[in-house]
Amino acid sequence: MTEQPLKFVIVGGGTAGWMAAAALAHALKGRVGEIELVESDEIGTVGVGEATIPPIQFLNSLLGIDEIDFVKKTQATFKLGIEFRDWRRLGHSYIHPFGPIGMAIEGVGFHHYWGRLRRHGDTSDICDYAMSAVAARKGKFVIAPSELPPGVPPLAYAYHFDAGLYARFLRDYAEKRGVRRTEGKIVEVKQRQSDGFIEAVELEGGKRIEGDFFIDCSGFRGLLIEQTLKSGYEDWTHWLPCDRALAVPCESVAPLTPYTRSTARTAGWQWRIPLQHRTGNGYVYSSPFISDDEAAATLMANLDGAPRAEPRLLRFVTGRRKQAWNKNVVALGLASGFMEPLESTSIHLIQTGVMRLISLLPTRNHDPAAVEEYNRLSKLEYEQIRDFIVLHYRATERDDSELWRYCRRMALPDSLTHKIELFRERGKVARFDDQLFAEPSWVSVFLGQGVEPRDYDRLADVPPLADVQRALANVRDKMNHIADRLLTHDEFIARHCKADPI
Ligand code: FAD
């Protein structure tokens, strides 16, 4: 006998809620019952979260989203990586580019050959061999592989978009596919007496919404997962001490840089996210080391366009929900945990959470093995991203403020200590299963932050030195040549995906 399909209730209509609604409605059509999303206009959304990483393209492609339409409707620009200014030391800058750096030769990572040339006096930057970094520095962009010479892989890229317009875009998508939206403020969460599973939420005014499975996308408050089910939270503030952010939009200034900028400041860092209609800015900081007023003054003094609003304060505790799936509730987005947006990973974590939920689809008879696997993978994913973010803080030469002095001394997670030691001694990146950030990402941040390997893979010594020198010079020249011939990012947008002014 076929099981009666489950009714899903999504609590929250921010980026997480509408991403979940769109993905479930599309991927599970016919396999689930009704999907109902509840959101409160009065409470609203967090309203930030505008820089992404390349895997978002998998989601767009799964949903069958037309890229140009998406870019226009969300006032998006393209992102080839992140520029880190003043992170290693004041005045220093490097790029963490998306996509490959060079190419493996005879199975040996490219950076080992680069390391060998360094020993022979070569002064090139590792990012001179990353197409995304070369294009980013020149402000160039292209999508179509047909506009690149044969054999050159397409540029790896993601998007910057307006968070409100993105949620709106996904809402239209989900509603067209049958998702029911209910506006209202949830004031009660009802649990079954027998086992504590959630059976309904009740809105102001008395309306009751029942469901079989609940997705908690209610933001930092974690209405179901924490306030009701008390799933627990692992606090990582000792590794990532920033606990507040001030966000402010400003007028857009030309040219539109095809990358996010992160500038380290005395008590944290400032983001700059260029969109077509405005630039998003924010200062992520550690409140024990700076007052809100001082942080606001720093942020406002470092905008490159006229501010379009007053700065908005957001408070957070970095860490993860101990059980992201508890009983018949999965938490997604800010309800599942928070890591600062230094590597733009939160929206990605929503995406992987939804995909994991779809692949371990809940059933009526509640399968503990599926729950355990979901939670195991969520924990692993969070910890791997955490280590990557902590690396930026720890591997710094800065000692000009209390925050940076604290970061240079702080104890690290064992997993990261091993990674840093292995890279420093051997130039090797310790990789773990299913890790989001691939070797080139770790290499660019290690080197960018000043973790220089003492040695390189001896297999890189096999080809004659002159051959290696020639090969690397060719790669560099070719990338420069290709980038020079591309449209600028502004030209690309004007020609292919200019959004209507708003
Ligand atoms: P929210 O946007 O807070 O939505 C919560 C929803 O729940 C709302 O619709 C609200 O109305 C509803 N709700 C809550 N309580 C009730 C109730 N009682 N009744 C009914 N409805 C209710 N991520 C990135 O990937 N890239 C970035 O660049 C980035 N930058 C960030 C910068 C900052 C400072 C912060 C704090 C986060 C950033 N993030 C970033 C994270 C990103 O903003 C979030 O992952 C994303 O917006 C998802 O938020 P959400 O949907 O979980 O929560």
Side-chain angles (χ1 to χ4, degrees), residues 53 55 96-101 111 343 384 388 391 419 423 429-432 434-446:
I53 52 176
H96 165 197
F98 296 144
I101 298 180
H111 68 281
E343 287 285 352
Q384 289 172 348
F388 191 52
L391 172 65
K419 272 196 140 95
F423 191 79
V429 176
R431 296 260 299 139
F432 301 106
D434 294 334
Q435 193 167 276
L436 170 63
F437 289 104
E439 185 170 90
S441 291
W442 281 90
V443 167
S444 61
V445 174
F446 273 134

mmCIF file of all heavy atoms in Angstrom, residues 53 55 96-101 111 343 384 388 391 419 423 429-432 434-446:
data_model
loop_
_atom_site.group_PDB
_atom_site.id
_atom_site.type_symbol
_atom_site.label_atom_id
_atom_site.label_comp_id
_atom_site.label_asym_id
_atom_site.label_seq_id
_atom_site.Cartn_x
_atom_site.Cartn_y
_atom_site.Cartn_z
ATOM 1 N N ILE A 53 28.477 31.452 -3.581
ATOM 2 C CA ILE A 53 29.618 30.714 -4.130
ATOM 3 C C ILE A 53 29.122 29.842 -5.293
ATOM 4 O O ILE A 53 27.915 29.585 -5.413
ATOM 5 C CB ILE A 53 30.340 29.892 -3.039
ATOM 6 C CG1 ILE A 53 29.361 29.014 -2.255
ATOM 7 C CG2 ILE A 53 31.095 30.815 -2.092
ATOM 8 C CD1 ILE A 53 30.049 28.114 -1.217
ATOM 9 N N PRO A 55 28.564 26.772 -6.268
ATOM 10 C CA PRO A 55 27.578 25.684 -6.320
ATOM 11 C C PRO A 55 26.130 26.151 -6.413
ATOM 12 O O PRO A 55 25.251 25.348 -6.703
ATOM 13 C CB PRO A 55 27.824 24.918 -5.009
ATOM 14 C CG PRO A 55 29.213 25.259 -4.602
ATOM 15 C CD PRO A 55 29.450 26.657 -5.100
ATOM 16 N N HIS A 96 40.992 35.229 -3.181
ATOM 17 C CA HIS A 96 40.614 33.817 -3.166
ATOM 18 C C HIS A 96 39.716 33.635 -4.394
ATOM 19 O O HIS A 96 38.549 34.016 -4.369
ATOM 20 C CB HIS A 96 39.860 33.466 -1.868
ATOM 21 C CG HIS A 96 39.142 32.148 -1.954
ATOM 22 N ND1 HIS A 96 38.143 31.790 -1.087
ATOM 23 C CD2 HIS A 96 39.272 31.095 -2.796
ATOM 24 C CE1 HIS A 96 37.686 30.590 -1.403
ATOM 25 N NE2 HIS A 96 38.349 30.151 -2.444
ATOM 26 N N PRO A 97 40.293 33.074 -5.466
ATOM 27 C CA PRO A 97 39.500 32.962 -6.692
ATOM 28 C C PRO A 97 38.667 31.684 -6.708
ATOM 29 O O PRO A 97 39.042 30.702 -6.070
ATOM 30 C CB PRO A 97 40.583 32.885 -7.782
ATOM 31 C CG PRO A 97 41.756 32.242 -7.102
ATOM 32 C CD PRO A 97 41.663 32.557 -5.632
ATOM 33 N N PHE A 98 37.567 31.691 -7.420
ATOM 34 C CA PHE A 98 36.820 30.453 -7.626
ATOM 35 C C PHE A 98 37.499 29.659 -8.746
ATOM 36 O O PHE A 98 38.134 30.229 -9.625
ATOM 37 C CB PHE A 98 35.382 30.761 -8.038
ATOM 38 C CG PHE A 98 34.602 31.477 -6.969
ATOM 39 C CD1 PHE A 98 33.659 32.443 -7.310
ATOM 40 C CD2 PHE A 98 34.784 31.179 -5.626
ATOM 41 C CE1 PHE A 98 32.920 33.096 -6.334
ATOM 42 C CE2 PHE A 98 34.051 31.820 -4.639
ATOM 43 C CZ PHE A 98 33.120 32.789 -4.997
ATOM 44 N N GLY A 99 37.333 28.345 -8.699
ATOM 45 C CA GLY A 99 37.838 27.501 -9.781
ATOM 46 C C GLY A 99 39.286 27.122 -9.588
ATOM 47 O O GLY A 99 39.892 27.389 -8.544
ATOM 48 N N PRO A 100 39.853 26.494 -10.622
ATOM 49 C CA PRO A 100 41.200 25.934 -10.477
ATOM 50 C C PRO A 100 42.308 26.984 -10.464
ATOM 51 O O PRO A 100 42.125 28.106 -10.922
ATOM 52 C CB PRO A 100 41.340 25.041 -11.720
ATOM 53 C CG PRO A 100 40.353 25.579 -12.702
ATOM 54 C CD PRO A 100 39.255 26.233 -11.933
ATOM 55 N N ILE A 101 43.443 26.580 -9.909
ATOM 56 C CA ILE A 101 44.671 27.372 -10.050
ATOM 57 C C ILE A 101 45.599 26.503 -10.880
ATOM 58 O O ILE A 101 45.971 25.405 -10.446
ATOM 59 C CB ILE A 101 45.310 27.681 -8.690
ATOM 60 C CG1 ILE A 101 44.358 28.524 -7.829
ATOM 61 C CG2 ILE A 101 46.653 28.389 -8.870
ATOM 62 C CD1 ILE A 101 44.890 28.901 -6.461
ATOM 63 N N HIS A 111 50.470 23.927 -7.399
ATOM 64 C CA HIS A 111 51.209 24.835 -6.504
ATOM 65 C C HIS A 111 52.565 24.246 -6.082
ATOM 66 O O HIS A 111 53.444 24.983 -5.636
ATOM 67 C CB HIS A 111 50.358 25.206 -5.283
ATOM 68 C CG HIS A 111 50.090 24.087 -4.344
ATOM 69 N ND1 HIS A 111 49.127 23.135 -4.567
ATOM 70 C CD2 HIS A 111 50.663 23.751 -3.165
ATOM 71 C CE1 HIS A 111 49.117 22.277 -3.573
ATOM 72 N NE2 HIS A 111 50.032 22.625 -2.707
ATOM 73 N N GLU A 343 33.273 33.808 3.851
ATOM 74 C CA GLU A 343 33.418 33.034 2.613
ATOM 75 C C GLU A 343 32.049 32.757 1.988
ATOM 76 O O GLU A 343 31.892 31.816 1.213
ATOM 77 C CB GLU A 343 34.175 31.731 2.892
ATOM 78 C CG GLU A 343 35.672 31.932 3.141
ATOM 79 C CD GLU A 343 36.480 32.222 1.873
ATOM 80 O OE1 GLU A 343 35.921 32.116 0.767
ATOM 81 O OE2 GLU A 343 37.675 32.567 1.990
ATOM 82 N N GLN A 384 33.885 21.780 8.776
ATOM 83 C CA GLN A 384 34.891 22.012 7.728
ATOM 84 C C GLN A 384 34.901 23.471 7.287
ATOM 85 O O GLN A 384 35.957 24.066 7.070
ATOM 86 C CB GLN A 384 34.618 21.080 6.547
ATOM 87 C CG GLN A 384 34.948 19.637 6.898
ATOM 88 C CD GLN A 384 34.515 18.653 5.828
ATOM 89 O OE1 GLN A 384 33.783 19.006 4.917
ATOM 90 N NE2 GLN A 384 34.967 17.426 5.939
ATOM 91 N N PHE A 388 37.921 26.568 7.775
ATOM 92 C CA PHE A 388 38.400 27.413 6.686
ATOM 93 C C PHE A 388 38.291 28.898 7.073
ATOM 94 O O PHE A 388 39.197 29.690 6.825
ATOM 95 C CB PHE A 388 37.587 27.114 5.424
ATOM 96 C CG PHE A 388 38.146 27.735 4.178
ATOM 97 C CD1 PHE A 388 39.474 27.554 3.824
ATOM 98 C CD2 PHE A 388 37.344 28.513 3.347
ATOM 99 C CE1 PHE A 388 39.992 28.127 2.672
ATOM 100 C CE2 PHE A 388 37.852 29.091 2.191
ATOM 101 C CZ PHE A 388 39.185 28.893 1.859
ATOM 102 N N LEU A 391 40.905 29.893 9.730
ATOM 103 C CA LEU A 391 42.248 30.062 9.149
ATOM 104 C C LEU A 391 42.548 31.533 8.830
ATOM 105 O O LEU A 391 43.649 32.022 9.074
ATOM 106 C CB LEU A 391 42.363 29.210 7.868
ATOM 107 C CG LEU A 391 43.621 29.412 7.026
ATOM 108 C CD1 LEU A 391 44.867 28.964 7.797
ATOM 109 C CD2 LEU A 391 43.522 28.644 5.704
ATOM 110 N N LYS A 419 45.896 20.699 9.539
ATOM 111 C CA LYS A 419 45.923 21.247 8.170
ATOM 112 C C LYS A 419 47.041 22.281 8.022
ATOM 113 O O LYS A 419 47.785 22.291 7.043
ATOM 114 C CB LYS A 419 44.588 21.923 7.860
ATOM 115 C CG LYS A 419 43.557 20.985 7.291
ATOM 116 C CD LYS A 419 42.447 21.797 6.654
ATOM 117 C CE LYS A 419 41.988 21.166 5.371
ATOM 118 N NZ LYS A 419 40.865 20.298 5.453
ATOM 119 N N PHE A 423 50.462 21.851 5.694
ATOM 120 C CA PHE A 423 50.735 22.769 4.593
ATOM 121 C C PHE A 423 52.070 23.475 4.808
ATOM 122 O O PHE A 423 52.878 23.618 3.895
ATOM 123 C CB PHE A 423 49.611 23.799 4.429
ATOM 124 C CG PHE A 423 49.746 24.579 3.149
ATOM 125 C CD1 PHE A 423 49.349 24.020 1.946
ATOM 126 C CD2 PHE A 423 50.319 25.847 3.136
ATOM 127 C CE1 PHE A 423 49.501 24.715 0.735
ATOM 128 C CE2 PHE A 423 50.484 26.550 1.944
ATOM 129 C CZ PHE A 423 50.070 25.980 0.749
ATOM 130 N N VAL A 429 47.659 19.914 1.143
ATOM 131 C CA VAL A 429 46.375 20.262 1.742
ATOM 132 C C VAL A 429 45.703 18.974 2.204
ATOM 133 O O VAL A 429 45.406 18.109 1.386
ATOM 134 C CB VAL A 429 45.472 20.997 0.731
ATOM 135 C CG1 VAL A 429 44.097 21.268 1.334
ATOM 136 C CG2 VAL A 429 46.122 22.300 0.284
ATOM 137 N N ALA A 430 45.512 18.846 3.520
ATOM 138 C CA ALA A 430 44.826 17.654 4.042
ATOM 139 C C ALA A 430 43.368 17.777 3.660
ATOM 140 O O ALA A 430 42.710 18.751 4.020
ATOM 141 C CB ALA A 430 44.964 17.592 5.562
ATOM 142 N N ARG A 431 42.877 16.812 2.925
ATOM 143 C CA ARG A 431 41.492 16.895 2.465
ATOM 144 C C ARG A 431 40.651 15.841 3.140
ATOM 145 O O ARG A 431 41.106 14.737 3.371
ATOM 146 C CB ARG A 431 41.421 16.687 0.945
ATOM 147 C CG ARG A 431 42.113 17.760 0.159
ATOM 148 C CD ARG A 431 41.160 18.779 -0.399
ATOM 149 N NE ARG A 431 40.219 18.170 -1.314
ATOM 150 C CZ ARG A 431 38.923 18.477 -1.362
ATOM 151 N NH1 ARG A 431 38.439 19.342 -0.536
ATOM 152 N NH2 ARG A 431 38.128 17.905 -2.221
ATOM 153 N N PHE A 432 39.471 16.222 3.477
ATOM 154 C CA PHE A 432 38.550 15.276 4.089
ATOM 155 C C PHE A 432 37.383 15.053 3.130
ATOM 156 O O PHE A 432 37.171 15.837 2.214
ATOM 157 C CB PHE A 432 38.061 15.807 5.439
ATOM 158 C CG PHE A 432 39.199 16.056 6.395
ATOM 159 C CD1 PHE A 432 39.624 17.336 6.684
ATOM 160 C CD2 PHE A 432 39.875 14.991 6.962
ATOM 161 C CE1 PHE A 432 40.688 17.559 7.557
ATOM 162 C CE2 PHE A 432 40.936 15.209 7.843
ATOM 163 C CZ PHE A 432 41.348 16.494 8.134
ATOM 164 N N ASP A 434 34.138 14.882 1.039
ATOM 165 C CA ASP A 434 33.046 15.803 0.711
ATOM 166 C C ASP A 434 33.285 17.231 1.177
ATOM 167 O O ASP A 434 32.355 17.931 1.570
ATOM 168 C CB ASP A 434 31.724 15.333 1.371
ATOM 169 C CG ASP A 434 31.266 14.026 0.770
ATOM 170 O OD1 ASP A 434 31.620 13.780 -0.379
ATOM 171 O OD2 ASP A 434 30.578 13.271 1.478
ATOM 172 N N GLN A 435 34.529 17.668 1.183
ATOM 173 C CA GLN A 435 34.797 19.004 1.669
ATOM 174 C C GLN A 435 34.368 20.044 0.644
ATOM 175 O O GLN A 435 34.629 19.872 -0.545
ATOM 176 C CB GLN A 435 36.284 19.093 1.921
ATOM 177 C CG GLN A 435 36.685 20.290 2.706
ATOM 178 C CD GLN A 435 38.106 20.127 3.177
ATOM 179 O OE1 GLN A 435 38.369 19.514 4.189
ATOM 180 N NE2 GLN A 435 39.014 20.677 2.412
ATOM 181 N N LEU A 436 33.708 21.112 1.115
ATOM 182 C CA LEU A 436 33.240 22.133 0.180
ATOM 183 C C LEU A 436 34.409 22.835 -0.502
ATOM 184 O O LEU A 436 34.444 22.984 -1.711
ATOM 185 C CB LEU A 436 32.379 23.155 0.941
ATOM 186 C CG LEU A 436 32.003 24.414 0.171
ATOM 187 C CD1 LEU A 436 31.156 24.087 -1.041
ATOM 188 C CD2 LEU A 436 31.273 25.405 1.090
ATOM 189 N N PHE A 437 35.373 23.295 0.296
ATOM 190 C CA PHE A 437 36.452 24.075 -0.297
ATOM 191 C C PHE A 437 37.549 23.140 -0.797
ATOM 192 O O PHE A 437 38.132 22.379 -0.028
ATOM 193 C CB PHE A 437 36.984 25.112 0.689
ATOM 194 C CG PHE A 437 35.995 26.212 0.905
ATOM 195 C CD1 PHE A 437 35.238 26.276 2.060
ATOM 196 C CD2 PHE A 437 35.766 27.156 -0.080
ATOM 197 C CE1 PHE A 437 34.283 27.264 2.246
ATOM 198 C CE2 PHE A 437 34.817 28.158 0.086
ATOM 199 C CZ PHE A 437 34.077 28.207 1.250
ATOM 200 N N ALA A 438 37.796 23.208 -2.097
ATOM 201 C CA ALA A 438 38.751 22.311 -2.741
ATOM 202 C C ALA A 438 40.177 22.853 -2.546
ATOM 203 O O ALA A 438 40.372 23.961 -2.033
ATOM 204 C CB ALA A 438 38.416 22.196 -4.222
ATOM 205 N N GLU A 439 41.141 22.063 -2.983
ATOM 206 C CA GLU A 439 42.551 22.401 -2.758
ATOM 207 C C GLU A 439 42.914 23.837 -3.180
ATOM 208 O O GLU A 439 43.582 24.548 -2.414
ATOM 209 C CB GLU A 439 43.440 21.383 -3.480
ATOM 210 C CG GLU A 439 44.908 21.595 -3.193
ATOM 211 C CD GLU A 439 45.743 20.441 -3.724
ATOM 212 O OE1 GLU A 439 46.168 20.519 -4.895
ATOM 213 O OE2 GLU A 439 45.972 19.474 -2.991
ATOM 214 N N PRO A 440 42.496 24.294 -4.374
ATOM 215 C CA PRO A 440 42.898 25.662 -4.760
ATOM 216 C C PRO A 440 42.429 26.723 -3.763
ATOM 217 O O PRO A 440 43.124 27.720 -3.552
ATOM 218 C CB PRO A 440 42.221 25.860 -6.124
ATOM 219 C CG PRO A 440 41.955 24.490 -6.628
ATOM 220 C CD PRO A 440 41.721 23.622 -5.434
ATOM 221 N N SER A 441 41.261 26.513 -3.163
ATOM 222 C CA SER A 441 40.769 27.500 -2.191
ATOM 223 C C SER A 441 41.681 27.545 -0.975
ATOM 224 O O SER A 441 42.084 28.620 -0.512
ATOM 225 C CB SER A 441 39.353 27.131 -1.736
ATOM 226 O OG SER A 441 38.452 27.307 -2.789
ATOM 227 N N TRP A 442 42.012 26.378 -0.453
ATOM 228 C CA TRP A 442 42.906 26.338 0.719
ATOM 229 C C TRP A 442 44.268 26.925 0.362
ATOM 230 O O TRP A 442 44.838 27.700 1.131
ATOM 231 C CB TRP A 442 43.057 24.889 1.216
ATOM 232 C CG TRP A 442 41.877 24.437 2.023
ATOM 233 C CD1 TRP A 442 40.754 23.823 1.559
ATOM 234 C CD2 TRP A 442 41.683 24.589 3.438
ATOM 235 N NE1 TRP A 442 39.881 23.576 2.595
ATOM 236 C CE2 TRP A 442 40.424 24.024 3.753
ATOM 237 C CE3 TRP A 442 42.440 25.139 4.468
ATOM 238 C CZ2 TRP A 442 39.919 23.981 5.057
ATOM 239 C CZ3 TRP A 442 41.931 25.098 5.774
ATOM 240 C CH2 TRP A 442 40.688 24.535 6.056
ATOM 241 N N VAL A 443 44.775 26.550 -0.818
ATOM 242 C CA VAL A 443 46.100 27.047 -1.215
ATOM 243 C C VAL A 443 46.081 28.571 -1.300
ATOM 244 O O VAL A 443 46.982 29.244 -0.785
ATOM 245 C CB VAL A 443 46.520 26.422 -2.567
ATOM 246 C CG1 VAL A 443 47.723 27.146 -3.159
ATOM 247 C CG2 VAL A 443 46.816 24.931 -2.402
ATOM 248 N N SER A 444 45.040 29.132 -1.915
ATOM 249 C CA SER A 444 45.066 30.589 -2.091
ATOM 250 C C SER A 444 44.951 31.298 -0.735
ATOM 251 O O SER A 444 45.588 32.342 -0.535
ATOM 252 C CB SER A 444 43.984 31.056 -3.064
ATOM 253 O OG SER A 444 42.717 30.717 -2.581
ATOM 254 N N VAL A 445 44.185 30.730 0.191
ATOM 255 C CA VAL A 445 44.066 31.403 1.494
ATOM 256 C C VAL A 445 45.316 31.161 2.351
ATOM 257 O O VAL A 445 45.833 32.079 2.993
ATOM 258 C CB VAL A 445 42.760 30.999 2.221
ATOM 259 C CG1 VAL A 445 42.717 31.596 3.625
ATOM 260 C CG2 VAL A 445 41.551 31.478 1.414
ATOM 261 N N PHE A 446 45.850 29.931 2.343
ATOM 262 C CA PHE A 446 47.117 29.694 3.062
ATOM 263 C C PHE A 446 48.169 30.705 2.600
ATOM 264 O O PHE A 446 48.774 31.413 3.407
ATOM 265 C CB PHE A 446 47.649 28.287 2.762
ATOM 266 C CG PHE A 446 47.126 27.192 3.669
ATOM 267 C CD1 PHE A 446 46.667 25.987 3.145
ATOM 268 C CD2 PHE A 446 47.136 27.341 5.055
ATOM 269 C CE1 PHE A 446 46.213 24.962 3.977
ATOM 270 C CE2 PHE A 446 46.690 26.321 5.894
ATOM 271 C CZ PHE A 446 46.224 25.131 5.351
#
